[in-house]
Amino acid sequence: MIRAENIFKSFDDNEVLKGISMEFLPGKTNLIIGRSGAGKTVFLKILVGLISPTSGKVYYDDVDFFSLDKKQIREIRMQVGMLFQGSALFDSMTVEENIRFPLDMFSGMTLAEKHDRVNWCLERVNLPGVNDKYPSEISGGMQKRVGIARAIVLSPKYLFCDEPNSGLDPRTALLIDELIQDITYEHNITTIINTHDMNSVMEIGDNIAFLHQGHLAWRGNKDQVLETESEELKSFIFASPFLQRLRTQALAAKNQ
Amino acid sequence: MNINLLYHFGRYILLLKQAFSKPENWSMYWKETLRQMNDIGIGSIVIVALISVFMGAVAAVQFAYQLDGTLVPRWYIGYIVRDLAIIESAPTITCLVLAGKVGSNMAAELGGMRQKEHIDAMEIMGVNTANYLITPKVVAALVVIPLLVTLSAYIAIGGGYLATVPTGQITADEYARGLRAFFIEFNVTMMYVKSFVFAFILTTVSCFQGYYVQGGSIELGKASTNAVVFSNILILLADYLLAVLLTS
Ligand SMILES: Nc1ncnc2c1ncn2[C@@H]1O[C@H](COP(=O)(O)OP(=O)(O)OP(=O)(O)O)[C@@H](O)[C@H]1O
Ligand SMILES: [Mg+2]
């Protein structure tokens, strides 16, 4: 479990996060949603310690993350996998070398064992046989999958995904979402996903936190989204007139 | 301005402290160091050779011109070219040129990795990125650059020969006599001290510039330029300080 406690973050006089507290549950897809610029990436990077908060605390299973020394932080990080907004694959390495990198660095495996593990991960993300391609030779959606494969190669306890489906067509986006959710359930991972995609919210939102103007404006799950009375959330998720009509119809159908 | 300078200097020292700690995985570091040696060494041989041959040639021709009509014997040309190469041109000019080639390259490579979140991705995996990305470059440079400097000294002496002997200004024997005259071993020591210090400066300063890049392609370009400019200034400053220290 990961717990954030009263996180504040400002850049100069731009106050981005104004006291966010929340828990992220194991075996669940925890979503952080909010408008572009709401501070989702900043919040996620604070959770993994890439940015330090102006004030507030982050706990990993009741260990205060920011009180740890560098070595202890690295030990926690070995249990963390992260998919970046832009995939962040190393472009001078092949797909196989990318996925193998954490293994090369931290495991005592033989080359054959590493190769098997890489293939297992690629199978898992439905992308077998691209081992020798370079990141520039595969599509954006495939890059995301390779990013996921690399994030899960060391069997993480915590998985962070920053906009896993931005820039993908709705069908591919859905596949990526489902993939992340399946992996989360299979291995009881604490998964935290940043997104502003309403499909993701409605499909995989086990535990949703809505960031609005620096505050945690709403919490709930995908079933509660439909019925929410929060004006900010409604105008964020059901942004277009078309979606508003759908919502009204869905609510009507439900209440019959 | 002064506070800013102190801030950057402090950050530079902290980065070095982080970089020079015990590697997590020796074989990965070794592989990376070999790759860097190849990049720095093999990648720079041609340019270093080209510059050195001209430096030697120009020095020889210029001194031949200056000695003309004086009482100084012509075979002094060999002596002057040799000492000029060993003391100054081989270590200093080579490293200034390498700052332009290798330093800007390192800053751009690290800066690109920072901007594309590669460094963050490695951090998340638990890698000490300052250590893994910087130390192999510094170690490789400390091994390879003194070798390049040695090569440069030899080639400069060859350049001096090519510019004066085939043109008939002096004979090969005279040139060789100059090369053997007044040889002071300490000058060679000085050459190596300089090349180690300059190699350290140019790699660490360039990596520092690249490692902390923010923003976009304009900042990346700036970092790459700064890597060259600051390396060059610091190399010249160190050159002066070493000259004062080592010859006093
Ligand atoms: N390094 C930084 N320096 C200064 N301001 C920053 C920095 N990083 C983020 N910000 C500011 O923090 C705010 C939130 O940015 P953030 O990237 O977290 O948004 P986001 O919710 O992830 O948006 P998107 O959905 O577009 O990715 C923005 O106003 C941005 O200008
Ligand atoms: Mg973002």
Side-chain angles (χ1 to χ4, degrees):
Chain A
M1 191 187 67
I2 298 177
R3 189 155 52 87
E5 208 177 85
N6 219 12
I7 302 283
F8 282 82
K9 178 68 190 178
S10 317
F11 295 99
D12 299 323
D13 41 3
N14 173 13
E15 204 172 23
V16 180
L17 302 175
K18 303 170 189 166
I20 311 261
S21 302
M22 76 171 295
E23 282 178 4
F24 302 95
L25 309 170
K28 297 245 185 288
T29 42
N30 301 275
L31 263 52
I32 300 169
I33 62 176
R35 279 223 159 88
S36 194
K40 301 183 296 294
T41 299
V42 170
F43 187 50
L44 201 70
K45 286 190 172 172
I46 287 175
L47 290 177
V48 292
L50 286 175
I51 298 180
S52 45
T54 312
S55 71
K57 291 194 161 137
V58 173
Y59 295 92
Y60 280 70
D61 290 333
D62 294 319
V63 178
D64 179 359
F65 186 81
F66 290 104
S67 72
L68 301 177
D69 64 31
K70 285 231 154 74
K71 198 162 154 263
Q72 291 166 315
I73 287 182
R74 277 191 203 110
E75 270 157 27
I76 287 200
R77 289 221 169 123
M78 283 182 209
Q79 309 176 340
V80 169
M82 181 155 176
L83 174 64
F84 283 81
Q85 200 160 346
S87 293
L89 299 177
F90 309 134
D91 35 28
S92 59
M93 299 182 192
T94 62
V95 166
E96 165 138 5
E97 287 165 342
N98 262 285
I99 302 174
R100 210 177 59 203
F101 186 84
L103 297 175
D104 284 339
M105 211 67 180
F106 299 113
S107 81
M109 290 183 177
T110 64
L111 198 60
E113 286 168 340
K114 287 188 239 181
H115 183 68
D116 285 347
R117 178 72 188 159
V118 169
N119 281 341
W120 184 89
C121 290
L122 279 174
E123 293 276 349
R124 188 64 200 81
V125 298
N126 299 319
L127 210 64
V130 295
N131 301 50
D132 297 327
K133 293 229 188 307
Y134 282 89
S136 59
E137 296 170 346
I138 58 179
S139 75
M142 288 158 106
Q143 288 177 9
K144 296 268 178 185
R145 286 179 210 222
V146 174
I148 295 174
R150 188 177 68 181
I152 62 171
V153 71
L154 285 174
S155 310
K157 253 174 96 173
Y158 314 100
L159 181 61
F160 294 83
C161 305
D162 195 357
E163 315 250 358
N165 49 22
S166 66
L168 301 179
D169 67 89
R171 181 89 202 105
T172 312
L174 199 63
L175 287 175
I176 299 270
D177 280 345
E178 284 169 357
L179 176 63
I180 294 172
Q181 190 173 42
D182 291 347
I183 292 171
T184 302
Y185 291 170
E186 272 164 41
H187 304 280
N188 199 37
I189 301 173
T190 305
T191 300
I192 303 178
I193 303 168
N194 266 359
T195 183
H196 44 45
D197 182 73
M198 72 141 302
N199 287 320
S200 309
V201 175
M202 301 312 272
E203 293 300 327
I204 61 165
D206 292 340
N207 176 23
I208 304 170
F210 174 50
L211 293 192
H212 185 67
Q213 296 180 342
H215 295 283
L216 186 56
W218 187 87
R219 286 197 55 180
N221 61 36
K222 60 186 176 194
D223 300 323
Q224 295 163 334
V225 167
L226 206 54
E227 287 154 13
T228 180
E229 291 305 319
S230 156
E231 287 304 323
E232 286 93 12
L233 184 62
K234 272 195 282 187
S235 75
F236 169 69
I237 300 217
F238 308 104
S240 67
F242 172 67
L243 288 174
Q244 283 158 16
R245 274 201 305 280
L246 279 187
R247 171 174 181 271
T248 322
Q249 286 168 11
L251 276 178
K254 216 172 170 185
N255 293 334
Q256 263 178 12
Chain B
M1 170 67 201
N2 281 333
I3 303 228
N4 218 341
L5 209 66
L6 276 179
Y7 167 75
H8 286 296
F9 185 69
R11 235 157 63 125
Y12 169 75
I13 297 293
L14 286 178
L15 181 64
L16 290 190
K17 207 179 126 214
Q18 217 182 319
F20 297 119
S21 51
K22 196 170 145 271
E24 282 122 1
N25 179 328
W26 286 100
S27 81
M28 286 290 277
Y29 281 69
W30 177 233
K31 239 172 72 185
E32 180 64 13
T33 307
L34 287 182
R35 188 177 79 83
Q36 293 294 338
M37 282 184 181
N38 187 55
D39 279 7
I40 302 172
I42 309 293
S44 308
I45 284 183
V46 173
I47 181 137
V48 166
L50 200 69
I51 282 162
S52 306
V53 82
F54 279 104
M55 272 179 338
V58 170
V61 170
Q62 285 287 316
F63 278 107
Y65 169 71
Q66 295 218 304
L67 297 184
D68 222 14
T70 67
L71 292 177
V72 182
R74 301 194 61 85
W75 59 262
Y76 263 52
I77 291 172
Y79 155 61
I80 288 169
V81 168
R82 182 202 71 208
D83 268 11
L84 189 76
I86 291 176
I87 297 174
E88 198 55 32
S89 76
T92 311
I93 309 271
T94 303
C95 287
L96 290 177
V97 170
L98 287 179
K101 183 176 179 299
V102 176
S104 66
N105 194 5
M106 285 179 179
E109 182 186 323
L110 286 186
M113 291 184 74
R114 167 68 72 196
Q115 290 180 339
K116 286 182 277 182
E117 297 185 308
H118 293 179
I119 295 186
D120 285 348
M122 283 189 187
E123 278 289 331
I124 291 298
M125 292 171 192
V127 179
N128 177 348
T129 52
N131 187 214
Y132 176 65
L133 295 173
I134 296 178
T135 309
K137 291 186 173 60
V138 177
V139 172
L142 287 180
V143 174
V144 170
I145 289 184
L147 293 177
L148 286 173
V149 167
T150 312
L151 183 77
S152 163
Y154 278 112
I155 292 181
I157 289 170
Y161 179 94
L162 286 179
T164 48
V165 176
T167 55
Q169 290 180 338
I170 53 174
T171 67
D173 281 344
E174 279 176 321
Y175 192 73
R177 182 176 169 200
L179 289 183
R180 284 197 221 100
F182 318 117
F183 182 67
I184 303 169
E185 274 173 42
F186 181 68
N187 287 348
V188 177
T189 312
M190 205 144 68
M191 174 177 93
Y192 284 115
V193 171
K194 282 184 177 182
S195 42
F196 280 118
V197 172
F198 298 166
F200 184 83
I201 290 176
L202 87 85
T203 45
T204 53
V205 168
S206 304
C207 289
F208 171 69
Q209 289 295 335
Y211 191 79
Y212 286 120
V213 163
Q214 280 179 334
S217 44
I218 294 186
E219 280 79 5
L220 189 60
K222 255 188 211 148
S224 174
T225 310
N226 281 348
V228 181
V229 172
F230 289 129
S231 298
N232 281 349
I233 293 172
L234 288 173
I235 284 174
L236 291 172
L237 189 70
D239 192 22
Y240 172 72
L241 292 177
L242 283 175
V244 172
L245 275 176
L246 294 175
T247 57
S248 64

